[in-house]
Amino acid sequence: MSPLLRVEDVHIRFGGVVAADGVYLDLEPGESLAIIGPNGAGKTTFLNICTGYLKPTAGRVLFEGNDITGQPPRAIVRLGIARAFQIPQLFLEHSVLDNMLIAAAARTRAWNPFRAMVALPERAEMIGLLRQLGVADTAEQRVDGLPEGVRKLVDVALALALKPRLLLLDEPTSGVSSSEKFQIMDALVQALKNQAVTSVFVEHDMEMVSRYAHRVAVWNGGRVQMVGTPADVLADADVRRDVVGI
Amino acid sequence: MTQLSWLHRTVILALALGVAVMPTLYPWSQVLLTLALAKGLAVLGVVVLLQAGQVSFGHAMFVAIGAYSATFLGRALGGGDLVVVLLGGVLTSVAFGLVIGVFVVRYRYIFFGMLNLAFSMVLFSLLEKFFHITGGSDGLRVLRPTLFGQSLDRATFEGILFYLTLALALGLGWLVHRYLQSPLGQALSAVKSNETRLEYLGVSARHVLLVGYVVSAALCGLGGVIIGLVQGLVTPELGYWVRSGELVFIAILGGASNVTGAFAGALVFEVVRTYAAAFAANIWQMILGGVLLLIVLFAPGGLIALYGNSVKKLFARTRTEP
Ligand SMILES: Nc1ncnc2c1ncn2[C@@H]1O[C@H](COP(=O)(O)OP(=O)(O)O)[C@@H](O)[C@H]1O
Ligand SMILES: [Mg+2]
């Protein structure tokens, strides 16, 4: 099977910092890949390059065989790549549900200026997504009054609302209480499986990684240090020393 | 919620009815009200852009573009028809809005505001300089158009223009309200709060803003055509930067987040200005400035928020009573 996403020899640097130093990675359709690595390793930068937020100085990004390098995020999003952010990116002055409805309108191109947003037929679907992520009770609240943990989940829900084929999650449950983490990830992974969504998630919690990832890529100094099954990667002595910290 | 919006609708219709009968009771008020409503249409344009957090300090240029293009058209047609000059003025404003908009929607905040100002100053000086076409600072006389081929005397024309403007204010106010409630209008306020997320939903913030910009140009242009017709004269002063500031002033006075606020603000502004100019000729600007200061300090949501709050209090009180 040809890869859904192929990243070839991607480079980028910020002043003296090399944030991507010849990154190669292939994603198989339907898989769930975890990215681990120390802070500053270039994990977020990798997602920024894949989604067109940053243009690499060298290298290519292919989605379903098509070169998408340097296209703007909105074009890449329309091809079917959605993203949840490490720092939630939400419409702060709107309610949670209105955030979701804007996403639904964006997906279905519901730009008829005389049709009220509250009447969008995707309303129930959006509330369903919020329920899956356990934040349906905040639907009518304005985002700027919500705690960080809830905002993270709303940010993930916004990405899901686009019905992507590839979902990139940057530390999706950081800031979410550890008692809820697994419950939410269970629901999320189930939802991704049902819709056959391929996913990449950056994660620091090794228990989360071994439970939810099919494969793990270890980032270090702007490079992919190792790729393998969670068991293999977590058994590796270098990884245990550099990343896991034991 | 539905109770309130039902109440709002009733209040708006009652006010519109009040405005509609005013000229039959006080004939002198007709011109004043027509001007106020026309200005309200222009302010509504500014209010649309304020949803995206963008303040234009040059929007009077579209008032001037509407007024001058309608006047040129009218003079070329030997008066022309009211419908034709209105459409001509609005379409020209839309065309200019599109061209200028494509350029300015790449900028935000102070740059957006100043670029609009710059365009309006260029237009102002062109209107002054090319006096053999534009009449220079003396301006051009506006020929009275016919209505569906019928020529009208002045009183009839002014009456028709007044009721037409009132109908346009109600109709377009309602349409703009619908637009702002639609996903496209909600995306405008999303431009204000998070362009990154908008982009990552596959939406171009520039396109969203451009639609708003063209809508605002059309509204200002329409207001301009009507102002020109009422005054019987168009001068470059219509597009002067002070006039642009006035539109922003009225938008904030009325309540920047609200369609009704644009018209409420314009009516209050014109009435205060007329009376203050008559009774306190030298200090009317000071009076208006003082009013705005009070609004900004004590009712940042504008006149409409003052009204909204008192309605809410009223409802809260009736509800707590057993
Ligand atoms: N836009 C940017 N401008 C300058 N430096 C950046 C930028 N983005 C990332 N960096 C730097 O690149 C390195 C990698 O950052 P990042 O990809 O955010 O790491 P991670 O997500 O793995 O913690 C860091 O040293 C960071 O400071
Ligand atoms: Mg990061």
Side-chain angles (χ1 to χ4, degrees):
Chain A
M1 219 174 342
S2 67
L4 182 68
L5 186 80
R6 163 162 282 179
V7 178
E8 283 177 1
D9 194 27
V10 158
H11 291 259
I12 200 167
R13 61 189 305 156
F14 304 106
V17 181
V18 183
D21 186 18
V23 173
Y24 287 87
L25 195 73
D26 277 357
L27 277 183
E28 300 307 322
E31 79 168 326
S32 173
L33 176 102
I35 295 181
I36 64 173
N39 279 328
K43 305 181 295 295
T44 299
T45 300
F46 174 71
L47 301 188
N48 281 336
I49 290 173
C50 291
T51 55
Y53 193 76
L54 293 173
K55 191 173 158 51
T57 47
R60 298 199 303 166
V61 181
L62 306 174
F63 183 62
E64 297 181 318
N66 301 312
D67 193 341
I68 58 168
T69 326
Q71 285 192 35
R74 61 176 178 280
I76 292 176
V77 167
R78 286 185 201 145
L79 294 175
I81 304 183
R83 172 181 187 183
F85 292 81
Q86 187 171 356
I87 299 161
Q89 300 294 324
L90 303 171
F91 307 125
L92 294 177
E93 295 174 11
H94 283 93
S95 71
V96 168
L97 183 57
D98 282 350
N99 270 263
M100 296 295 286
L101 290 173
I102 293 173
R107 181 186 84 204
T108 59
R109 313 265 175 104
W111 300 128
N112 176 349
F114 302 119
R115 183 135 181 229
M117 189 164 82
V118 289
L120 282 180
E122 288 80 15
R123 188 185 172 86
E125 179 197 337
M126 294 301 121
I127 292 175
L129 278 175
L130 292 174
R131 191 170 298 126
Q132 265 180 6
L133 291 168
V135 289
D137 55 329
T138 64
E140 300 297 335
Q141 291 180 39
R142 256 173 74 125
V143 169
D144 53 8
L146 295 175
E148 184 75 2
V150 176
R151 290 193 201 187
K152 290 279 313 192
L153 297 173
V154 174
D155 196 65
V156 174
L158 273 186
L160 279 175
L162 298 176
K163 286 195 180 163
R165 268 174 302 152
L166 171 60
L167 179 59
L168 308 174
L169 302 151
D170 203 348
E171 308 192 17
T173 57
S174 73
V176 178
S177 75
S178 43
S179 57
E180 286 175 319
K181 248 184 181 177
F182 291 101
Q183 199 187 334
I184 287 159
M185 266 312 261
D186 278 342
L188 181 57
V189 166
Q190 194 57 49
L192 295 178
K193 203 168 176 180
N194 291 345
Q195 296 173 22
V197 181
T198 310
S199 64
V200 173
F201 63 105
V202 177
E203 185 57 69
H204 287 296
D205 184 330
M206 293 308 142
E207 208 182 330
M208 298 277 282
V209 170
S210 44
R211 189 150 153 184
Y212 297 112
H214 302 129
R215 284 196 307 155
V216 183
V218 183
W219 242 254
N220 214 339
R223 293 180 143 267
V224 183
Q225 178 181 328
M226 180 182 179
V227 184
T229 64
D232 288 346
V233 168
L234 295 180
D236 186 88
D238 290 342
V239 172
R240 289 176 74 87
R241 191 187 59 243
D242 297 343
V243 181
V244 188
I246 358 175
Chain B
M1 180 70 196
T2 45
Q3 205 175 8
L4 274 187
S5 62
W6 178 84
L7 182 71
H8 288 324
R9 235 173 265 174
T10 314
V11 169
I12 289 169
L13 284 179
L15 282 178
L17 209 64
V19 170
V21 298
M22 271 293 273
T24 54
L25 303 176
Y26 310 101
W28 54 265
S29 69
Q30 187 168 273
V31 166
L32 172 73
L33 289 172
T34 313
L35 277 174
L37 289 169
K39 200 164 268 181
L41 285 167
V43 172
L44 190 55
V46 170
V47 165
V48 166
L49 288 176
L50 282 171
Q51 306 310 302
Q54 304 307 314
V55 185
S56 163
F57 289 110
H59 254 51
M61 73 177 139
F62 294 111
V63 173
I65 287 167
Y68 271 90
S69 56
T71 304
F72 287 140
L73 187 61
R75 290 167 74 99
L77 298 173
D81 201 85
L82 181 58
V83 180
V84 174
V85 296
L86 274 173
L87 277 178
V90 172
L91 290 178
T92 312
S93 308
V94 165
F96 272 86
L98 204 56
V99 172
I100 297 174
V102 164
F103 187 70
V104 297
V105 298
R106 299 147 66 104
Y107 300 88
R108 298 288 180 275
Y109 303 108
I110 191 71
F111 302 103
F112 179 87
M114 291 297 122
L115 268 174
N116 278 288
L117 176 66
F119 274 111
S120 79
M121 287 166 102
V122 169
L123 180 79
F124 178 78
S125 57
L126 288 177
L127 290 176
E128 288 228 308
K129 285 273 152 17
F130 289 89
F131 55 86
H132 50 284
I133 305 171
T134 65
S137 51
D138 292 341
L140 289 174
R141 223 167 61 74
V142 181
L143 301 184
R144 188 185 311 142
T146 57
L147 181 62
F148 304 123
Q150 297 263 1
S151 51
L152 307 163
D153 64 52
R154 181 162 161 204
T156 318
F157 176 71
E158 284 182 350
I160 287 173
L161 197 57
F162 167 68
Y163 287 106
L164 178 67
T165 308
L166 182 60
L168 283 171
L170 280 171
L172 291 174
W174 184 73
L175 285 180
V176 170
H177 174 73
R178 294 295 304 252
Y179 161 53
L180 293 180
Q181 298 303 312
S182 80
L184 196 57
Q186 292 293 304
L188 266 181
S189 31
V191 169
K192 177 164 86 180
S193 59
N194 199 326
E195 286 193 34
T196 305
R197 178 44 92 183
L198 205 52
E199 177 85 15
Y200 270 93
L201 294 178
V203 180
S204 159
R206 285 180 189 175
H207 288 174
V208 170
L209 197 52
L210 183 59
V211 172
Y213 196 86
V214 172
V215 168
S216 79
L219 288 165
C220 287
L222 177 61
V225 180
I226 296 169
I227 290 170
L229 288 171
V230 176
Q231 293 180 340
L233 181 75
V234 293
T235 62
E237 215 267 338
L238 283 173
Y240 195 45
W241 63 270
V242 173
R243 293 279 93 78
S244 296
E246 197 173 278
L247 296 179
V248 178
F249 180 113
I250 298 172
I252 292 166
L253 178 74
S257 63
N258 195 290
V259 167
T260 325
F263 295 103
L267 284 166
V268 169
F269 179 89
E270 284 301 315
V271 169
V272 170
R273 187 172 76 160
T274 309
Y275 276 91
F279 295 110
N282 299 318
I283 57 163
W284 71 268
Q285 276 115 332
M286 205 170 95
I287 294 175
L288 271 175
V291 169
L292 188 69
L293 209 62
L294 288 176
I295 290 282
V296 169
L297 289 177
F298 300 110
L303 296 172
I304 281 302
L306 278 180
Y307 156 79
N309 288 343
S310 45
V311 169
K312 258 184 221 136
K313 267 186 209 142
L314 208 70
F315 268 81
R317 210 168 294 147
T318 51
R319 235 176 262 137
T320 46
E321 267 163 15

